Amino acid sequence: MATTLITGGTVVSATGRAPADVLVDGETIVAVLAPGSQLLGTDLARGVDTVVDATGKYVIPGGIDAHTHMELPFGGTNASDTFETGTRAAAHGGTTTIIDFAVQTYGQKVMDGLAAWHEKAAGNCAIDYGFHQIIGGVDADSLAVMPSLVDEGITSFKLFMAYPGVFYSDDAQILKAMQVSADTGLLTMMHAENGPVIDVLAAQLAEEGKTDPYFHGIARAWEMEEEATHRAIMIARLTGAPLYVVHVSAKQAVEQLAAARDRGQNVFGETCPQYLYLSLEEQLGASSEEWGAFEGAKWVCSTPLRARAEGHQHAMWQGLRTNDLQMVSTDHCPFCMKGQKELGLGDFRKIPNGIGSVEHRMDLMYQGVVTGEITLERWVELTSTTPARMFGLYGKKGVIQPGADADIVVYDPNGHTSIGLGKTHHMNMDHSAWEGYEIDGHVDTVISRGKVVVDDNQYLGAKGDGRFVKRGLSQYLV
């Protein structure tokens, strides 16, 4: 098996940083050594197949994006990234594992939905991948089969309080599913928005002729995110189920999560880069020569971008600092403007919901280190270590230590990354949600299970490098 020595860098973990050399044998990290250590010989570099010089750079565990939607059918079309294109883009950005969502729709068998996603992904991924299971139809059959998901390495499932007629679960269905969660240790993931109320608000706006993308954000009012978050927390409290709320965007929803955690409840929250940087006014309300007021469709996602004037972005960063929010994922669900987003021209309700960010999460979060929003160690914790712990991967993923998979990123704090079409953009999209963003850092080398897949902006991997990883139960529960 090939051996690799990463030398001269500073290894950063969730708990600290130190100069260290990392020795990889095949797919596994076998040693983390103090600089100059002779424990394994006097000239270790001469005895390995490859030496990676990380002088002046950070050596971090590969990123884990625990919320992606490759090839997701939505709004009459499909997310534009395949597992092949999406995972290759992820690798360029320093992400070495994704957890995507297998989908069961109403009337479909859960295991049939899971099998369909295995078929989409198998042999196509550039990096390792796992699955959560969307339960789009909570019925007797679904409830009966859910416990067997654990044997499949699927230890979390997602419910929706939004999208009536598509994925929506009512409170009684949520209660029944959470009872299974409490009994099995499966982690309940929740899209927390009051969908029926939102649909009424959206219809009323459309009747008034308010059809531009901006009104997507108005219809999906923060009150309906806070209310649904509170309701999910209370049902989880009643059942004893652990709860993970996805893509939190409203500061009031963070307050609900914080209050529940202060009571000792196993309640967790995730946010996304778009809720840290982007806003209702600047993006959903954008206009351009090409698209006019429809320009904002590029940033239509749910939960929506929130008003900067109301301070939601600041609250998300603060929640990450205080651990009221535990993770940053992308909710990567890309659509092109032409032929996809433009399905909603004249009616924001018909715009496919989603933003493409899987390539940029590590960089965007590192910029938060540069600007003083989070520490270097917290960067690693939010983007790699906690995702591994939350979703039953820690020990093999999310850490640089002997026995772990050799998923490693060499990151240059003195480098620079310009994001945008024709610059840094490998996702299958005709626009970038992050056009013009400048990052004071650069992903230099990405190693996935011991293989260099990206080096100096060049993709060296191959379709099928990634494998399905079975996950254990959450390692983050109290």
Side-chain angles (χ1 to χ4, degrees):
M1 296 183 106
T3 53
T4 301
L5 181 67
I6 304 168
T7 183
T10 298
V11 173
V12 184
S13 74
T15 55
R17 69 189 87 170
D21 296 339
V22 181
L23 180 62
V24 173
D25 185 6
E27 299 183 350
T28 307
I29 296 168
V30 293
V32 180
L33 302 163
S37 171
Q38 297 184 12
L39 183 65
L40 300 179
T42 56
D43 193 356
L44 187 57
R46 289 190 61 185
V48 300
D49 298 303
T50 305
V51 175
V52 176
D53 183 2
T55 301
K57 301 173 185 179
Y58 299 132
V59 180
I60 63 171
I64 300 171
D65 190 342
H67 189 155
T68 68
H69 295 288
M70 306 302 175
E71 304 182 38
L72 177 73
F74 191 93
T77 184
N78 294 298
S80 57
D81 262 324
T82 63
F83 277 93
E84 181 180 1
T85 63
T87 57
R88 189 168 63 227
H92 273 282
T95 287
T96 55
T97 305
I98 63 164
I99 311 179
D100 206 84
F101 287 83
V103 178
Q104 176 238 7
T105 55
Y106 183 77
Q108 181 188 38
K109 300 293 186 184
V110 171
M111 289 304 178
D112 290 346
L114 177 57
W117 253 255
H118 273 299
E119 188 174 344
K120 291 174 189 280
N124 291 316
C125 293
I127 55 174
D128 287 355
Y129 63 97
F131 292 134
H132 312 286
Q133 181 67 52
I134 288 175
I135 307 292
V138 179
D139 54 26
D141 287 342
S142 300
L143 294 167
V145 80
M146 280 171 61
S148 64
L149 288 170
V150 176
D151 296 330
E152 303 289 329
I154 315 292
T155 55
S156 45
F157 66 93
K158 184 179 180 183
L159 301 175
F160 289 80
M161 304 170 93
Y163 305 127
V166 184
F167 291 128
Y168 176 76
S169 292
D170 63 28
D171 290 353
Q173 291 172 311
I174 291 168
L175 173 76
K176 292 175 183 178
M178 282 190 175
Q179 287 171 334
V180 175
S181 174
D183 290 342
T184 60
L186 285 165
L187 181 59
T188 302
M189 307 174 74
M190 187 66 72
H191 180 131
E193 289 185 291
N194 189 320
V197 170
I198 287 169
D199 282 2
V200 171
L201 295 174
Q204 290 172 345
L205 287 166
E207 287 168 9
E208 295 169 10
K210 297 175 179 177
T211 59
D212 290 335
Y214 175 84
F215 294 101
H216 170 83
I218 300 301
R220 307 189 86 92
W222 64 257
E223 288 89 347
M224 293 300 93
E225 183 181 350
E226 180 185 20
E227 183 276 332
T229 301
H230 175 74
R231 185 157 34 101
I233 287 168
M234 296 312 291
I235 300 173
R237 183 177 181 177
L238 175 64
T239 59
L243 173 65
Y244 177 96
V245 181
V246 298
H247 49 53
V248 177
S249 65
K251 63 182 182 180
Q252 295 85 357
V254 178
E255 292 167 2
Q256 293 292 333
L257 293 170
R261 289 176 56 75
D262 287 346
R263 293 193 300 265
Q265 221 176 315
N266 268 317
V267 172
F268 313 104
E270 156 203 284
T271 194
C272 308
Q274 53 266 35
Y275 308 124
L276 298 167
Y277 286 103
L278 309 179
S279 73
L280 171 72
E281 302 96 328
E282 296 155 302
Q283 276 74 40
L284 280 179
S287 183
S288 70
E289 186 175 334
E290 180 180 8
W291 294 103
F294 194 70
E295 176 76 5
K298 294 176 179 178
W299 298 280
V300 164
C301 61
S302 298
T303 53
L305 305 183
R306 300 293 179 191
R308 192 175 299 280
E310 295 174 353
H312 296 283
Q313 295 77 8
H314 171 77
M316 295 305 118
W317 282 114
Q318 181 171 302
L320 293 175
R321 284 192 294 274
T322 58
N323 207 42
D324 291 323
L325 295 170
Q326 289 72 43
M327 282 173 47
V328 176
S329 306
T330 57
D331 190 13
H332 177 77
C333 194
F335 297 97
C336 293
M337 283 290 277
K338 293 181 179 175
Q340 291 192 302
K341 292 277 190 179
E342 67 180 356
L343 292 170
L345 270 169
D347 188 346
F348 68 83
R349 296 171 295 176
K350 296 179 181 178
I351 300 170
N353 285 207
I355 289 176
S357 300
V358 73
E359 184 174 353
H360 305 311
R361 181 184 65 117
M362 298 296 287
D363 280 327
L364 290 165
M365 294 311 299
Y366 180 74
Q367 194 62 25
V369 177
V370 174
T371 57
E373 296 285 0
I374 55 173
T375 66
L376 189 62
E377 290 80 4
R378 186 65 172 157
W379 173 50
V380 171
E381 188 174 11
L382 291 167
T383 58
S384 182
T385 305
T386 295
R389 292 180 62 202
M390 188 70 71
F391 294 110
L393 291 170
Y394 186 76
K396 295 297 286 182
K397 307 289 186 185
V399 64
I400 294 178
Q401 67 182 22
D405 288 351
D407 295 347
I408 301 168
V409 174
V410 177
Y411 197 89
D412 185 1
N414 297 308
H416 188 83
T417 304
S418 296
I419 300 177
L421 288 179
K423 293 181 280 188
T424 304
H425 184 90
H426 299 88
M427 299 171 290
N428 187 31
M429 300 169 63
D430 61 3
H431 66 280
S432 174
W434 302 97
E435 188 71 45
Y437 271 70
E438 303 290 337
I439 307 298
D440 296 311
H442 186 265
V443 173
D444 277 8
T445 305
V446 181
I447 300 171
S448 175
R449 271 187 297 99
K451 177 179 178 177
V452 176
V453 293
V454 175
D455 188 53
D456 192 24
N457 299 322
Q458 299 301 307
Y459 178 65
L460 305 175
K463 176 180 174 180
D465 279 344
R467 297 179 193 158
F468 175 71
V469 288
K470 286 191 170 187
R471 299 185 289 113
L473 295 175
S474 178
Q475 297 153 292
Y476 206 82
L477 304 186
V478 177

